[in-house]
Every structure is written in structure tokens, then in C-alpha cells.
Amino acid sequence: MAESHAKVQKVGGGRLCCICNERRAALKRPKTLEQICRECFFAVFEEEIHQVIVENQLFNPGERIAIGASGGKDSTVLAYVLSELNRRHDYRLDLFLLSVDEGITGYRDDSLETVKRNEIQYGLPLKIVSYKDLYGWTMDEIVKIIGLKNNCTFCGVFRRQALDRGASLLKVDKLVTGHNADDIAETVLLNILRGDIARLSRCTAITTGEDGPIPRCKPFKYTYEKEIVMYAYFKRLDYFSTECIYSPNAYRGFAREFIKDLERIRPRAILDIIKSGENFRIATSTKMPEQGTCERCGYISSQKWCKACVLLEGLNRGLPKLGIGRTRVLDKDQKKDLKQSIGTKSIASKQCGSLDF
């Protein structure tokens, strides 16, 4: 009996895959700690994502889907896997790659070259929208004025709106992003630390913006970042691995390191944090922001002006810190400037423009 058990567990000096019991194990899954072969890893990785798509009814046959493509590991694996699953399971989706050029020399220009190669490799049409065309500014120009402390605020706000604008130009039904389980767990912690109840109540949703112009889906909601890296490595996918040169001190980075420390101690910690976020209940007495539209550009906003317009107005008026933080930190002159700007219907500087939804 002992000899038979040993034969099942090991072959040629190595441990057998715990799934197929035939091939030699090539890796240990970070999520489950199972030792499995490459072929079984590919199969379970793809099948888990397929089940997430089916169980959450993310897509309907015939829909046009834009894949947010940065050239990084997450979006590259998402584009590859979604293309494969679309063919294998006959989702009948029209897939497109959508990229945002923030205007970061030595980073985004290089990563976009990767996306252009992915366009050919996966046979998916590519659309690129740029900050310069949409807002009149590049991130290089913004960083020169604002510095490295608050630049991620500008980039995050502008990028979100730029993706929606690009999706609108492509006339897609939904936008999918490569946000993985680690990203979502980080967001749960960040919203708790910031006391952001509004975002905390929706940050774990696999589909958001269903009441808006273009819903967003996260097929990688339960997929670990380490497994995405392993999949890309073993599949030899073409992706860009350099981190953004302007984000070494980003607040999210500290939450990311904390999550990684937790994962080393207890791999399920990531899924448990997501589960906790899903089960949070906001008190009925909590006042939530009411969704409306920006008076200036027509984008979704709970204020008269959306965050992008406020930030852009600050840049154009030489007051780059105008939209940073809460309005109570603005001095009297800045408050007066913002109030006058909101009341001005014709502004000579480049506006966000109107979203054609």
C-alpha cells in the first residue's frame, strides 16, 4: 500500500500533479497551494474565469465588449483568455482592445507598443485615446506642475473618464478591466482607511455602472495576481512589466504591501477580505451621494462638476491643487475662483468635452 501511494505521489524524483496524477507537478498554486502540472494549471485557471463569467452573467450573446488594455500582465492575460473562452464556449462576443495614452515618456509609449503587438497576435481591433487629445494635457506636463505627491489623483480620475470616452467611441455594450483579487482586496482596505462609505458599498461588485452609460465588469475578481503572472509566464505571453515611473509613493502601494504580507501568512486572506467587503452593510441612516451629471461635460457626477472637470479647471487656471482633497482646505481666493468658474458658461481653455452617450 505504501509503495502504491508513493508511486501516485512521485515520478522520476518529482511530485505528480494532484489533479491528473499523470504529469509532473510544475508549480504550487498560490490560491490553493496545490501542486499541479502546467496543463492542469491552464485548465483550472481558464475554467475558474469561465465559471465567474457564467455564474455572474457578465455577457450576453452579440454584445460588443471593450477590453481595457494597458500592455501589462493583467490586461494582456485578460485579452488572451477572453479571446480563448469566447471561441471555446461560443460567447458570440465582438471583442476590442481599448488603450489610454496618458502621455508618460519611457513608460506608456513603450507599453502601447506591446498592445499594438497584442492587436496582431490576438486579432482584436485596437482603439487608443490620449489625455492630450481629451484634456489638452499629458501626465508628463501635469507632473511638472503638481509634482509626484498628488499626480496619481489626476491620472486615476482622467483615466477612468478616458476609458468611458473610448468605450463610447467604440459603441460597446460593456467595458472589462483586468482588476484582480489583489486589487479588489486593496481597494476594500483603502476605502475603510479613508472612510469612503460610498465606494466601500460598491467596490467589491463584479459589475459596476449598470445605471450609467457603459457598465464595467471584472472577470478576474477572484483571480490572484501571482497566478496571472504564472499564467503569462508559462504561456509566454507578450506583456510589458515595468511599473509606472510616477507611482512609487502611491497610497495604494502601502496597502498592496500589507496584502502581500497577509498572503504569505495565509493565502486565503485575499479572498476573505473580498468576502468581508461583499458582506458589509451600510446603515440606512448613512447619507449617500446622489448620482447626477456634470454641468460642464455631462459625465456622471454627484456634484455640479465632475472631479475631472474640477482638476482640469485647476490646471488651466494655474491652480493645480484646486481639486485635491476636500473643498474645505481651499483658501478663500481658490473657492471664489472655483465658484466663478462653475458659473461661467463659456470657458476659453480646453474643456473635458461632452460625452456622446
Side-chain angles (χ1 to χ4, degrees):
M1 180 69 74
E3 290 181 2
S4 176
H5 180 71
K7 187 177 181 181
V8 171
Q9 293 297 322
K10 293 187 177 183
V11 60
R15 187 174 293 274
L16 280 173
C17 170
C18 69
I19 294 179
C20 68
N21 281 322
E22 295 177 359
R23 292 177 290 267
R24 190 173 175 179
L27 59 100
K28 180 186 286 186
R29 287 195 70 187
K31 182 189 288 188
T32 63
L33 301 183
E34 295 174 311
Q35 295 196 30
I36 59 179
C37 64
R38 293 187 189 185
E39 291 78 3
C40 286
F41 172 62
F42 296 151
V44 297
F45 183 91
E46 294 165 2
E47 180 61 21
E48 285 180 4
I49 294 167
H50 170 62
Q51 290 303 319
V52 167
I53 291 172
V54 172
E55 290 171 8
N56 293 275
Q57 299 179 326
L58 295 188
F59 311 122
N60 296 310
E63 286 186 326
R64 293 167 62 88
I65 306 296
I67 302 169
S70 66
K73 62 185 184 315
D74 298 314
S75 62
T76 300
V77 172
L78 178 62
Y80 176 84
V81 171
L82 204 52
S83 297
E84 289 295 309
L85 295 179
N86 189 36
R87 286 191 287 267
R88 186 182 306 163
H89 298 286
D90 194 25
Y91 292 163
R92 285 177 282 166
L93 303 175
D94 288 327
L95 302 176
F96 302 84
L97 296 177
L98 173 59
S99 294
V100 177
D101 181 2
E102 300 94 341
I104 303 176
T105 304
Y107 169 66
R108 183 55 71 212
D109 47 358
D110 291 339
S111 69
L112 285 176
E113 291 304 313
T114 302
V115 178
K116 291 173 184 176
R117 291 196 297 272
N118 292 159
E119 175 187 13
I120 298 170
Q121 292 160 353
Y122 308 150
L124 301 177
L126 169 64
K127 174 68 178 177
I128 301 175
V129 293
S130 72
Y131 282 9
K132 189 66 174 179
D133 291 339
L134 293 174
Y135 310 117
W137 293 79
T138 65
M139 277 308 299
D140 286 341
E141 293 168 342
I142 292 172
V143 169
K144 284 182 181 178
I145 296 176
I146 196 70
L148 291 173
K149 187 175 181 181
N150 294 302
N151 63 89
C152 288
T153 298
F154 284 84
C155 195
V157 171
F158 287 167
R159 181 177 176 77
R160 179 175 182 81
Q161 194 174 115
L163 281 171
D164 279 339
R165 291 175 184 280
S168 176
L169 292 172
L170 287 171
K171 293 181 169 52
V172 296
D173 300 291
K174 287 169 186 166
L175 171 65
V176 296
T177 61
H179 291 97
N180 56 52
D182 300 57
D183 297 327
I184 296 171
E186 291 163 14
T187 304
V188 171
L189 289 182
L190 286 172
N191 287 331
I192 291 174
L193 294 173
R194 288 189 295 228
D196 195 333
I197 303 301
R199 286 190 175 89
L200 182 59
S201 65
R202 64 175 184 268
C203 69
T204 58
I206 195 166
T207 300
T208 57
E210 292 175 290
D211 54 348
I214 300 176
R216 292 186 178 213
C217 304
K218 298 186 279 284
F220 283 174
K221 177 181 175 180
Y222 302 108
T223 306
Y224 278 31
E225 181 180 47
K226 286 182 180 178
E227 296 201 353
I228 292 173
V229 173
M230 286 181 173
Y231 187 90
Y233 174 76
F234 285 124
K235 281 285 187 179
R236 298 183 179 179
L237 300 184
D238 183 6
Y239 70 94
F240 186 76
S241 58
T242 304
E243 293 293 326
C244 177
I245 59 176
Y246 293 144
S247 65
N249 298 313
Y251 189 34
R252 178 176 286 271
F254 297 100
R256 180 175 297 117
E257 288 305 312
F258 179 61
I259 293 289
K260 291 186 184 302
D261 289 340
L262 289 177
E263 184 188 7
R264 278 191 285 270
I265 299 170
R266 186 166 181 270
R268 275 202 61 87
I270 292 174
L271 293 178
D272 290 340
I273 292 173
I274 295 174
K275 186 68 174 177
S276 297
E278 290 173 336
N279 292 328
F280 279 136
R281 295 294 177 266
I282 309 302
T284 54
S285 59
T286 303
K287 186 177 181 181
M288 302 291 281
E290 295 181 7
Q291 182 173 297
T293 55
C294 174
E295 291 182 357
R296 186 181 186 189
C297 73
Y299 192 70
I300 301 167
S301 177
S302 58
Q303 306 294 328
K304 287 187 177 181
W305 274 23
C306 69
K307 189 70 170 178
C309 282
V310 173
L311 291 173
L312 186 60
E313 183 64 14
L315 288 172
N316 290 331
R317 295 175 67 84
L319 300 168
K321 295 185 179 180
L322 191 66
I324 301 294
R326 301 182 187 277
T327 54
R328 66 169 181 265
V329 302
L330 302 179
D331 60 36
K332 291 181 180 179
D333 291 336
Q334 288 176 327
K335 289 180 180 178
K336 184 179 179 181
D337 284 337
L338 182 57
K339 188 175 181 181
Q340 289 175 345
S341 296
I342 293 176
T344 304
K345 296 199 174 179
S346 177
I347 300 177
S349 58
K350 177 127 182 167
Q351 298 186 26
C352 284
S354 140
L355 289 177
D356 185 17
F357 293 129

